[in-house]
Amino acid sequence: NAGVTQTPKFRVLKTGQSMTLLCAQDMNHEYMYWYRQDPGMGLRLIHYSVGEGTTAKGEVPDGYNVSRLKKQNFLLGLESAAPSQTSVYFCASSGAGTSARKEQYFGPGTRLTVT
Amino acid sequence: DAKTTQPPSMDCAEGRAANLPCNHSTISGNEYVYWYRQIHSQGPQYIIHGLKNNETNEMASLIITEDRKSSTLILPHATLRDTAVYYCIVRVGNNQGGKLIFGQGTELSVKP
């Protein structure tokens, strides 16, 4: 049981390049999330998904696209990277239902630098 | 979701209790208080949550005031491994996709 895994762990991009970050979870969770964290800041929600085939915008969605084609995977795409997207990206997942005890499980993060 | 206010940093001696305060004066009746922590740039880790009663688990205790406008996370015997940024978050259970809105948190330093 690996929990939440992220690929790659590190990446350096040039301005204008594109890339996709992959998040995978093996806990059969319905909900998945992408956050970014800038130095000295808390996490900010980019996009999230409440089930396979559905996605929704979070606090800071501009410049990013996501897809949830399979329940266990959540992809984050940068179509044309900008230096402002230099950040650490965290993926998370959680179970569905109305119970309040649905904590989010986080991956180890992807450190992205855009030059 | 209601906003929270936390001190930016705190120190605690190893072996002593760490008491981390959080103000959430605009909390609604159906909003829960959650605590997460982030150790040295790892992904955040869930600690505990509560609605209005005090809660305790193997990691910590959560004390919520009667008017629910503030709460305190207690680590009863802090160790060096508890050095982390602690986030207090309020949200409505698992509705709205279970979204979490993080503030800047409290950086707790546990010193020998």
Side-chain angles (χ1 to χ4, degrees):
Chain A
N1 191 336
V4 179
T5 58
Q6 294 183 230
T7 309
K9 290 185 170 50
F10 302 92
R11 185 73 186 267
V12 179
L13 285 180
K14 291 187 183 336
T15 297
Q17 287 185 319
S18 63
M19 78 164 294
T20 299
L21 282 67
L22 171 63
C23 176
Q25 52 94 4
D26 61 3
M27 296 172 281
N28 201 34
H29 283 164
E30 290 292 333
Y31 296 169
M32 296 188 74
Y33 315 85
W34 275 108
Y35 296 87
R36 61 175 287 174
Q37 185 173 33
D38 300 324
M41 305 281 289
L43 280 71
R44 291 184 292 170
L45 183 65
I46 304 172
H47 286 280
Y48 65 102
S49 168
V50 299
E52 185 178 321
T54 70
T55 63
K57 293 181 180 179
E59 297 174 84
V60 288
D62 294 341
Y64 304 95
N65 56 74
V66 288
S67 64
R68 182 98 182 268
L69 298 179
K70 293 183 179 180
K71 185 177 183 180
Q72 64 268 33
N73 295 338
F74 195 29
L75 277 63
L76 178 71
L78 287 72
E79 289 189 349
S80 178
S84 60
Q85 294 178 304
T86 293
S87 191
V88 180
Y89 291 85
F90 289 101
C91 177
S93 71
S94 72
T98 55
S99 167
R101 177 60 192 267
K102 294 293 182 185
E103 65 263 37
Q104 292 186 15
Y105 294 83
F106 284 80
T110 294
R111 281 154 181 75
L112 175 65
T113 301
V114 183
T115 61
Chain B
D1 293 328
K3 282 192 164 245
T4 62
T5 304
Q6 300 176 253
S9 63
M10 293 181 64
D11 290 339
C12 179
E14 188 178 20
R16 304 297 294 268
N19 297 282
L20 290 88
C22 179
N23 286 322
H24 30 78
S25 59
T26 61
I27 192 169
S28 300
N30 60 349
E31 287 184 311
Y32 290 76
V33 180
Y34 288 78
W35 284 85
Y36 280 73
R37 73 179 182 183
Q38 187 176 24
I39 297 173
H40 190 54
S41 299
Q42 296 176 21
Q45 175 191 23
Y46 166 85
I47 301 173
I48 198 167
H49 78 280
L51 183 62
K52 48 187 171 181
N53 298 322
N54 298 338
E55 303 287 345
T56 296
N57 63 20
E58 64 279 4
M59 290 182 70
S61 294
L62 174 61
I63 309 297
I64 302 174
T65 58
E66 195 168 337
D67 64 6
R68 303 208 324 121
K69 294 187 176 186
S70 65
S71 60
T72 301
L73 179 74
I74 301 172
L75 308 178
H77 305 287
T79 70
L80 299 179
R81 287 178 295 179
D82 291 322
T83 291
V85 178
Y86 287 78
Y87 295 100
C88 169
I89 301 164
V90 295
R91 70 175 170 97
V92 181
N94 208 34
N95 293 334
Q96 302 173 31
K99 292 185 294 181
L100 297 174
I101 305 298
F102 287 81
Q104 297 204 1
T106 295
E107 186 168 6
L108 175 68
S109 296
V110 180
K111 300 182 185 298

